[in-house]
Amino acid sequence: MSQSQSQRFLVTAVHSRRDGLGSDGMQNGDSNGSTATHGESTVPILEYLREPNRYGDGVPKESSPFLNSTDIDKGILYEGKNMALFEEEMDRNPMVSSLLNRLANYTNLTQGVREHEEAENNEGPKKKEIKAPRMGTFIGVYLPCLQNILGVILFLRLTWIVGAAGIFGSFWIVFICCACTLLTAISMSAIATNGVVPAGGSYYMISRSLGPEFGGAVGLCFYLGTTFAGAMYILGTIEILLTYIVPSAAIFKAEDPSQETQAMLNNMRIYGTCAITLMATVVFVGVKYVNKLALVFLACVILSIFSIYAGVIKTAFNPPDFPLCVLGNRTLAGRAFDVCAKVVIEGNETVTTRLWQFFCDGPSLNATCNKYFDLNNVTQIQGIPGVASKVIIDNIWSTYGPQGEMLEQQGLPSVPAPDGETNTGLPYVVSDITTYFTMLVGIYFPSVTGIMAGSNRSGDLKDAQKSIPTGTLLAIITTSFIYLSCIILFGACIEGVLLRDKFGESVNGNLVIGTLAWPSPWVIVIGSFFSTCGAGLQSLTGAPRLMQAIARDGIVPFLRVFGHGKANGEPTWALLLTAGICEIGILIASLDSVAPILSMFFLMCYMFVNLACALQTLLRTPNWRPRFKYYHWTLSFLGMSLCLALMFICSWYYALVAMVIAVCIYKYIEYRGAEKEWGDGIRGLSLNAARYALLRLEDGPPHTKNWRPQLLVLLNLDSEQNVKHSRLLSLTTQLKAGKGLTIIGSVLEGTFLERHSEVQKAEQNIKSLMGVERTKGFCHVVVSSNLRDGVSHLVQSSGLGGMKHNTVLVAWPDLWRQSDGPTGWKSFVDTVRETTAAHQALLVAKNIDSFPTNQERFAGGTIDIWWIVHDGGLLMLLPFLLSQHKVWKKCKMRIFTVAQIDDNSIQMKKDLQLFLYQLRLDAEVEVVEMLDNDISAFTYERTLMMEQRSQMLKQMQLSKNEREREIQGITDESRGATIRRNSAHPILEFQARDPDVHEEEAQLIHDRNAAAHSSGTNKLAVTPEGVHMTWTKEKIMAEKYKNKESLSPEGVRDIFNMKPEWGNLNQSNVRRMHTAVRLNEVVVNKSQEARLVLLNMPGPPKNRQGDENYMEFLEVLTEGLNRVLMVRGGGSEVITIYS
């Protein structure tokens, strides 16, 4: 056995002893998969599966036994020979048998909180084994859904809805709402059966299907809906208590009947606050008691419903005696009097009743009474005539009415009273709110919510993928049947006026639905009281856990504090927040006002469940394989449309408020940067939309009106992979303002296999800087054998399809004279040529480190554009884009153009002003006349210096270090080199020169050469004699004007007699240098104080022999300017005067 083999065997043995693994590398010890190894430590497998990033490779992945759980086998080397081919990958890719073993033992906690597990771990020997979920479909899904769907609205408002909307209208209300929840349940079933659904239920499904932004927004809306549902249940509990059980317990009592509503609302606020405090305390102290009482509350609901059906059957042969007192056809409140008559006979004497005293000014028979009271008789009718009666015909159609309308019985005679008669203080039963169809939809919809109660318990189910669809759909079908049958039965048994009597005032304050129940109304009253009380406790139990799940996901940073709780995982802080929001609903006090609020939030949640299913189906995501097969994207889309329609049907202003809240949460999560990657459908939709858009963009180039600079920004990195010129990204942000395409590119020299880690570091540094500079775009770092080829690859291949860059932004190489390497002038000139060949625009920022940051603000100043040649309009478009940013917003635009001797400058200015007007650009216009002056001595000297340097670099094949050491000596000998060059090309005869003149000229050439080598670093050039000389900007300007003034035309004609070496200069270079010098003089004269100067960038020479001269021309052209942006067009028009 070799040494390496023995070492491998020893490592395997150590891990075998620690993990219970046999020598074959397979797990044969701890078969329950309760621990996962990480290094030398062990962690609970459930904790590992929930937070694999703490123990895995650091890449954010979803908590699942399928993903990133390979670290359990980390460090285990496979010893056998059957899989030797894969042994080097065993640390990353586990054996299939190992994976299946973990899947078989995968489970999750009902509330899935880490603190709960840690608290149990700390108990040591007392730790109890977590029991496997055993709840089936009936107990785990069907009954919880039944309990949550059947509730307060059924007992307190359904009879009133039937009375106002009629049987036909109520049937449509219930049908629409139940159809909405049925379609949502189908979509939810598809999502719930597409893989394991951990604890978290509906929020987990929505967030993992639609992404963190939608998940956070909809999750919080669902939380708010659940919280306001708790407020509604508590208000229902107090309403039953104060209206039907203990009316005398009211604290606020109205002296005037018109103030009864306000007094009732105040009582609801007081008692509701006490109730929320008590319930929150119960939930905090012992939530397990709430769960144990859930079956008791459910039994109350079922018993109440059976008593309603029993009462309906009883009315067929023995209707209950609940008489209604009616004056004419107006219903009277039975609590106000004891006898339903105007007078009674006691003995032989006619005596007025208490009812008489309400309508007359005295008890005597000759008292003055209300006219309507005088003209109509008081009669009694049965409130519940029974199924055998034909009352169903009268209740088919709606009887909507305004607030304050008296309830009138159809079919009874009534003599109208004279106009102007007041009914204030009379014991009529009146409508407390205005009724109409859409308002009733909003009030009723909460009665069909609760369909997600089963999915919320997914962690407790034995087979969630089977139980959730079956139990939820059965519960919806059952409750829909109950609601629809109750509507018909109520309309067939109860008089219309009693149905519209919301609080049962006409039957002495009895619960209307209770009057129908058998054997006693108290069955319904007590049953509904405990039902609503239990539903409120369930809401206060579930909502904090939902908030805790959202907080622990970390997608909304300011909510993270609510993820903490007690040692056993109880969400204490989330419970306090829930109680506080619930108190807001309590202070509203009206159940009819709170119901539409929670309808909005539930409808929004259901809408996005349908959207998630539709998206996943249409996108045909490979992972979309639900076991529930009875779904279709059309059903999901119909459900989504129905939810959206119901939101605006219920209350358009509540719908807008809910949407604004959701949008604000979405944008906040997006702004803070959601770092979660859940493989959501929105990302899949984005990919498909991007693919479709890219294919459309391939049809052709963009129209001029749609053109915008799509930037490829080329950055240089230092040895630590940090960006050298960060202001280049600042300029990019100011130019783009987040619009269009931005690609930040850089090149590393070498091979990818050797430098891939440095590529990751460079990309991380660039992305970090992009975040600081708020640059929206993509980062692309490539590795190439040399930097010039890498830049060429970026220019050619960056982007995808039609989404490619059309403009390249680079920084001017300031040290180009000191280096001829890749970062110097050779690479730069090649980049210019390649962008031209690719028909791409080029922006060169000179003195980039002096450009403003995004935090700076210019209070004034100008952006000067020097329009020398037409480049497609890019030169004028760029300052407009810059002026949109806050940095440049207060800067004015000035456009300069150059007129030659044959041009009409006045007409040029008029034409340019008209052109700018048609372009809708606001800028000052100035035409600068540049006469055809003679070439100055300064120009010849700069040309001579340029050619001498070029010749030296060609002749001296030295390394970079040697050239820097010897360049000074070479420049001292430049005079001798010129004489030798002239002797080889005897074009002109030179006479003997005076030694003083010779020394003066040599010194001048040396002085300027020294300036050329020191201009980039501002260092002093030292001559061999030790004399310090500096070629400053002022000296350059003085030399220009000295030569310009001293040379007359005659002197120019004799110039070659003064400087014989000028005769050998390339006349093309002389002309180019003359243009650069003259333009520079004009630009500096006009724009030296400008905030930014933009000018046309001339192209490189076709002959590569003059590349270094090209750099000198550009240097001379931009000397003396602070910030310069040289612009080279891409060969196409980018701005137009047409709309």
Side-chain angles (χ1 to χ4, degrees):
M1 181 181 295
S2 64
Q3 183 179 358
S4 61
Q5 288 175 329
S6 62
Q7 289 176 348
R8 184 174 64 186
F9 177 79
L10 289 175
V11 172
T12 305
V14 169
H15 284 281
S16 299
R17 290 193 299 269
R18 187 183 64 193
D19 297 330
L21 298 177
S23 61
D24 59 351
M26 302 290 289
Q27 186 170 342
N28 59 13
D30 187 5
S31 61
N32 62 7
S34 61
T35 59
T37 63
H38 180 72
E40 294 296 328
S41 61
T42 60
V43 295
I45 182 65
L46 295 179
E47 182 178 341
Y48 174 82
L49 292 174
R50 282 195 309 275
E51 294 186 300
N53 299 330
R54 296 179 61 194
Y55 315 103
D57 55 7
V59 180
K61 295 184 177 71
E62 183 50 42
S63 302
S64 165
F66 295 91
L67 299 176
N68 200 27
S69 54
T70 60
D71 280 1
I72 297 176
D73 300 322
K74 199 167 189 179
I76 301 174
L77 297 178
Y78 186 71
E79 186 190 9
K81 297 180 180 179
N82 293 335
M83 294 295 171
L85 184 61
F86 301 95
E87 63 182 3
E88 293 184 357
E89 299 179 2
M90 286 298 173
D91 58 338
R92 301 188 306 273
N93 303 324
M95 291 289 294
V96 173
S97 57
S98 176
L99 174 65
L100 293 177
N101 183 60
R102 286 197 301 276
L103 289 176
N105 292 283
Y106 174 71
T107 183
N108 49 50
L109 298 178
T110 55
Q111 298 304 333
V113 292
R114 196 177 70 210
E115 287 87 348
H116 179 70
E117 192 171 59
E118 290 175 350
E120 290 188 343
N121 290 339
N122 293 334
E123 293 178 6
K126 297 180 180 180
K127 176 182 175 182
K128 295 181 180 180
E129 183 180 357
I130 300 173
K131 295 183 179 180
R134 295 300 179 194
M135 298 178 69
T137 302
F138 186 75
I139 298 295
V141 180
Y142 180 76
L143 291 182
C145 286
L146 211 66
Q147 180 183 0
N148 280 267
I149 294 174
L150 300 173
V152 62
I153 300 296
L154 170 64
F155 300 120
L156 296 184
R157 292 293 183 267
L158 189 58
T159 54
W160 172 68
I161 291 174
V162 174
I167 295 175
F168 185 76
S170 302
F171 191 92
W172 273 108
I173 291 173
V174 174
F175 178 80
I176 292 173
C177 295
C178 291
C180 175
T181 55
L182 181 64
L183 294 172
T184 303
I186 292 174
S187 300
M188 183 192 69
S189 299
I191 298 174
T193 58
N194 188 52
V196 179
V197 180
S202 54
Y203 163 69
Y204 181 93
M205 290 189 296
I206 297 170
S207 60
R208 270 55 176 180
S209 298
L210 294 179
E213 294 90 354
F214 275 108
V218 180
L220 284 176
C221 287
F222 188 53
Y223 164 75
L224 291 173
T226 307
T227 304
F228 275 101
M232 184 187 72
Y233 291 132
I234 293 172
L235 289 175
T237 303
I238 302 305
E239 182 177 315
I240 294 171
L241 178 69
L242 296 181
T243 307
Y244 307 115
I245 298 179
V246 192
S248 59
I251 298 175
F252 298 92
K253 297 182 180 179
E255 300 293 338
D256 188 350
S258 62
Q259 298 178 353
E260 286 183 359
T261 301
Q262 189 60 41
M264 184 63 180
L265 294 180
N266 290 332
N267 288 320
M268 300 278 278
R269 293 184 180 103
I270 297 297
Y271 279 96
T273 303
C274 296
I276 186 66
T277 304
L278 178 62
M279 288 184 178
T281 303
V282 171
V283 172
F284 175 78
V285 171
V287 69
K288 58 182 180 181
Y289 300 112
V290 177
N291 294 327
K292 289 180 179 179
L293 289 173
L295 284 178
V296 176
F297 299 141
L298 177 61
C300 292
V301 174
I302 296 175
L303 182 62
S304 300
I305 292 173
F306 276 120
S307 69
I308 293 172
Y309 283 111
V312 171
I313 296 172
K314 181 176 179 295
T315 62
F317 52 86
N318 185 18
D321 184 23
F322 277 99
L324 305 180
C325 189
V326 180
L327 175 62
N329 65 352
R330 298 177 181 178
T331 309
L332 299 176
R335 283 184 178 180
F337 49 88
D338 50 356
V339 179
C340 183
K342 293 183 179 180
V343 295
V344 293
I345 298 176
E346 295 181 356
N348 294 323
E349 184 178 358
T350 302
V351 180
T352 59
T353 62
R354 188 176 178 185
L355 179 63
W356 176 283
Q357 298 176 16
F358 277 105
F359 290 91
C360 301
D361 58 3
S364 62
L365 293 174
N366 58 358
T368 303
C369 297
N370 179 275
K371 293 297 182 183
Y372 188 83
F373 183 77
D374 286 339
L375 297 174
N376 293 275
N377 295 324
V378 176
T379 58
Q380 274 190 332
I381 61 173
Q382 279 298 325
I384 303 178
V387 177
S389 67
K390 298 180 179 179
V391 70
I392 188 172
I393 299 175
D394 298 330
N395 292 331
I396 288 178
W397 307 110
S398 62
T399 52
Y400 301 121
Q403 181 178 359
E405 180 187 48
M406 290 175 287
L407 304 186
E408 298 179 348
Q409 173 63 31
Q410 298 176 4
L412 292 180
S414 174
V415 179
D419 294 338
E421 186 180 42
T422 179
N423 296 315
T424 303
L426 300 180
Y428 291 124
V429 180
V430 297
S431 176
D432 63 329
I433 60 173
T434 303
T435 54
Y436 46 91
F437 181 82
T438 57
M439 186 269 291
L440 295 180
V441 173
I443 292 177
Y444 172 76
F445 187 82
S447 66
V448 297
T449 60
I451 62 173
M452 293 186 175
S455 63
N456 290 340
R457 295 167 177 251
S458 56
D460 299 326
L461 301 175
K462 183 164 54 179
D463 186 357
Q465 297 191 14
K466 178 182 177 182
S467 298
I468 289 176
T470 306
T472 304
L473 292 175
L474 281 178
I476 291 175
I477 293 172
T478 304
T479 53
S480 299
F481 171 78
I482 292 173
Y483 281 125
L484 292 173
S485 62
C486 283
I487 286 172
I488 297 173
L489 295 177
F490 290 163
C493 296
I494 305 174
E495 280 288 353
V497 287
L498 181 56
L499 288 173
R500 284 176 282 150
D501 185 2
K502 183 188 294 186
F503 301 107
E505 296 178 56
S506 58
V507 287
N508 299 322
N510 285 307
L511 184 62
V512 175
I513 196 173
T515 61
L516 182 63
W518 180 88
S520 169
W522 285 102
V523 175
I524 292 290
V525 173
I526 300 300
S528 60
F529 175 80
F530 283 111
S531 172
T532 53
C533 183
L537 284 171
Q538 292 287 348
S539 296
L540 288 178
T541 303
R545 281 157 179 75
L546 179 59
M547 170 55 68
Q548 188 181 50
I550 297 172
R552 285 187 169 160
D553 266 344
I555 55 177
V556 184
F558 67 84
L559 292 179
R560 286 177 181 168
V561 64
F562 300 107
H564 304 292
K566 294 192 294 185
N568 63 349
E570 291 300 321
T572 307
W573 294 107
L575 177 61
L576 290 176
L577 177 66
T578 302
I581 297 176
C582 204
E583 178 63 19
I584 297 175
I586 298 296
L587 294 178
I588 295 175
S590 173
L591 189 147
D592 299 325
S593 299
V594 173
I597 297 177
L598 65 100
S599 295
M600 293 302 109
F601 293 122
F602 277 120
L603 280 167
M604 183 170 291
C605 177
Y606 296 166
M607 179 176 70
F608 281 102
V609 169
N610 287 293
L611 174 63
C613 182
L615 276 182
Q616 299 279 25
T617 307
L618 288 174
L619 294 177
R620 298 179 181 178
T621 309
N623 193 51
W624 178 247
R625 302 183 301 274
R627 291 188 178 276
F628 181 79
K629 301 298 181 183
Y630 305 101
Y631 71 94
H632 196 268
W633 69 267
T634 53
L635 295 178
S636 300
F637 187 78
L638 179 62
M640 182 185 68
S641 304
L642 193 57
C643 289
L644 183 63
L646 281 174
M647 288 179 66
F648 285 92
I649 286 175
C650 294
S651 175
W652 64 268
Y653 45 89
Y654 279 157
L656 291 179
V657 170
M659 287 184 171
V660 168
I661 292 173
V663 169
C664 290
I665 298 171
Y666 178 95
K667 298 305 291 184
Y668 174 78
I669 298 174
E670 185 181 52
Y671 171 76
R672 291 301 300 263
E675 299 177 354
K676 302 292 182 180
E677 175 52 61
W678 290 329
D680 51 88
I682 293 298
R683 184 171 177 82
L685 178 64
S686 301
L687 290 173
N688 276 270
R691 170 184 168 275
Y692 175 77
L694 286 172
L695 291 175
R696 289 285 303 273
L697 287 175
E698 283 286 348
D699 293 341
H703 191 274
T704 303
K705 290 184 289 186
N706 296 328
W707 194 95
R708 66 168 64 247
Q710 317 284 12
L711 289 180
L712 169 62
V713 184
L714 298 179
L715 295 179
N716 291 327
L717 305 176
D718 59 19
S719 59
E720 298 296 327
Q721 315 308 330
N722 294 317
V723 178
K724 287 185 178 180
H725 302 293
S726 61
R727 299 291 176 91
L728 208 56
L729 289 183
S730 301
L731 177 62
T732 302
T733 303
Q734 296 158 19
L735 191 60
K736 300 289 290 180
K739 303 297 189 296
L741 175 69
T742 301
I743 301 174
I744 311 298
S746 188
V747 180
L748 298 181
E749 191 172 7
T751 61
F752 183 73
L753 291 178
E754 296 175 351
R755 307 199 65 180
H756 66 276
S757 59
E758 296 177 49
V759 169
Q760 294 179 352
K761 181 180 179 181
E763 288 185 345
Q764 183 178 359
N765 292 341
I766 293 175
K767 288 179 180 178
S768 176
L769 184 60
M770 290 172 66
V772 172
E773 299 292 343
R774 297 185 179 180
T775 304
K776 304 290 186 181
F778 307 96
C779 175
H780 192 192
V781 178
V782 299
V783 180
S784 179
S785 57
N786 60 76
L787 297 183
R788 292 171 62 184
D789 288 346
V791 172
S792 178
H793 295 158
L794 284 175
V795 171
Q796 293 178 61
S797 60
S798 292
L800 179 64
M803 200 64 176
K804 294 179 66 69
H805 64 277
N806 54 28
T807 306
V808 179
L809 173 61
V810 298
W812 172 261
D814 293 324
L815 303 179
W816 66 272
R817 286 195 180 99
Q818 277 71 33
S819 172
D820 62 346
T823 59
W825 54 270
K826 291 182 180 180
S827 177
F828 177 81
V829 176
D830 284 342
T831 302
V832 176
R833 284 198 173 97
E834 286 165 358
T835 55
T836 303
H839 301 289
Q840 296 172 2
L842 177 66
L843 309 180
V844 180
K846 190 176 180 185
N847 301 327
I848 184 62
D849 293 330
S850 67
F851 275 64
T853 64
N854 292 326
Q855 287 72 38
E856 296 181 40
R857 301 288 183 270
F858 287 137
T862 61
I863 300 176
D864 288 359
I865 304 105
W866 284 86
W867 192 23
I868 302 168
V869 295
H870 182 55
D871 59 350
L874 181 60
L875 203 63
M876 286 175 285
L877 182 62
L878 291 177
F880 169 75
L881 296 176
L882 283 175
S883 64
Q884 307 302 305
H885 196 272
K886 291 178 287 187
V887 173
W888 306 92
K889 199 171 188 66
K890 295 184 179 180
C891 295
K892 296 181 179 179
M893 288 172 54
R894 295 193 303 178
I895 296 183
F896 298 89
T897 189
V898 177
Q900 301 295 325
I901 191 169
D902 296 331
D903 296 327
N904 186 341
S905 59
I906 297 177
Q907 187 61 37
M908 281 181 64
K909 183 174 183 178
K910 291 181 180 179
D911 293 342
L912 183 54
Q913 287 174 336
L914 177 62
F915 183 56
L916 291 177
Y917 176 77
Q918 293 172 334
L919 289 176
R920 290 90 64 198
L921 294 177
D922 186 16
E924 298 179 12
V925 175
E926 185 172 344
V927 178
V928 179
E929 296 181 354
M930 197 168 77
L931 302 179
D932 191 12
N933 291 342
D934 295 310
I935 300 174
S936 65
F938 176 80
T939 301
Y940 280 105
E941 287 294 342
R942 289 301 293 262
T943 308
L944 176 62
M945 179 179 64
M946 177 184 70
E947 291 196 353
Q948 286 176 343
R949 181 182 183 279
S950 175
Q951 188 65 25
M952 284 186 292
L953 294 178
K954 291 176 183 177
Q955 292 176 355
M956 305 296 293
Q957 300 297 326
L958 302 174
S959 66
K960 180 179 178 182
N961 294 334
E962 292 172 333
R963 185 178 298 129
E964 289 178 351
R965 287 196 304 266
E966 297 185 11
I967 192 70
Q968 191 64 52
I970 295 173
T971 54
D972 290 339
E973 297 175 3
S974 61
R975 176 62 176 168
T978 305
I979 294 175
R980 288 194 297 273
R981 195 165 54 249
N982 289 338
S983 63
H985 304 279
I987 300 175
L988 298 175
E989 292 184 0
F990 298 106
Q991 298 178 356
R993 310 290 301 276
D994 185 85
D996 295 334
V997 174
H998 174 87
E999 183 179 353
E1000 179 183 353
E1001 290 175 355
Q1003 183 62 42
L1004 177 62
I1005 294 173
H1006 172 267
D1007 196 8
R1008 288 174 181 162
N1009 271 287
H1013 291 289
S1014 62
S1015 60
T1017 59
N1018 293 328
K1019 294 181 179 179
L1020 296 178
V1022 182
T1023 65
E1025 293 79 14
V1027 179
H1028 293 276
M1029 298 181 181
T1030 303
W1031 185 263
T1032 63
K1033 180 170 67 177
E1034 291 77 9
K1035 188 171 182 180
I1036 291 175
M1037 301 303 297
E1039 184 68 21
K1040 287 183 184 180
Y1041 290 108
K1042 182 180 74 173
N1043 289 323
K1044 180 179 178 181
E1045 294 171 359
S1046 63
L1047 290 177
S1048 62
E1050 292 78 7
V1052 171
R1053 282 193 294 269
D1054 297 333
I1055 198 165
F1056 293 111
N1057 295 326
M1058 296 171 56
K1059 303 286 184 178
E1061 63 272 21
W1062 291 351
N1064 258 5
L1065 296 178
N1066 186 312
Q1067 293 304 305
S1068 175
N1069 287 342
V1070 173
R1071 290 194 304 272
R1072 291 172 182 267
M1073 183 63 75
H1074 174 66
T1075 303
V1077 171
R1078 291 288 293 119
L1079 273 176
N1080 179 257
E1081 291 176 359
V1082 175
V1083 173
V1084 170
N1085 184 39
K1086 295 287 186 179
S1087 303
Q1088 192 169 15
E1089 301 301 325
R1091 299 293 189 185
L1092 178 64
V1093 175
L1094 292 92
L1095 51 82
N1096 292 112
M1097 179 179 178
K1102 295 181 180 179
N1103 183 6
R1104 289 181 175 270
Q1105 299 296 327
D1107 284 356
E1108 62 273 21
N1109 299 339
Y1110 173 66
M1111 297 295 293
E1112 189 69 37
F1113 295 145
L1114 296 181
E1115 188 72 58
V1116 172
L1117 180 62
T1118 56
E1119 275 181 346
L1121 300 174
N1122 185 20
R1123 302 184 191 92
V1124 183
L1125 190 62
M1126 291 181 281
V1127 180
R1128 183 162 174 78
S1132 60
E1133 293 291 333
V1134 302
I1135 194 167
T1136 178
I1137 63 175
Y1138 300 104
S1139 61

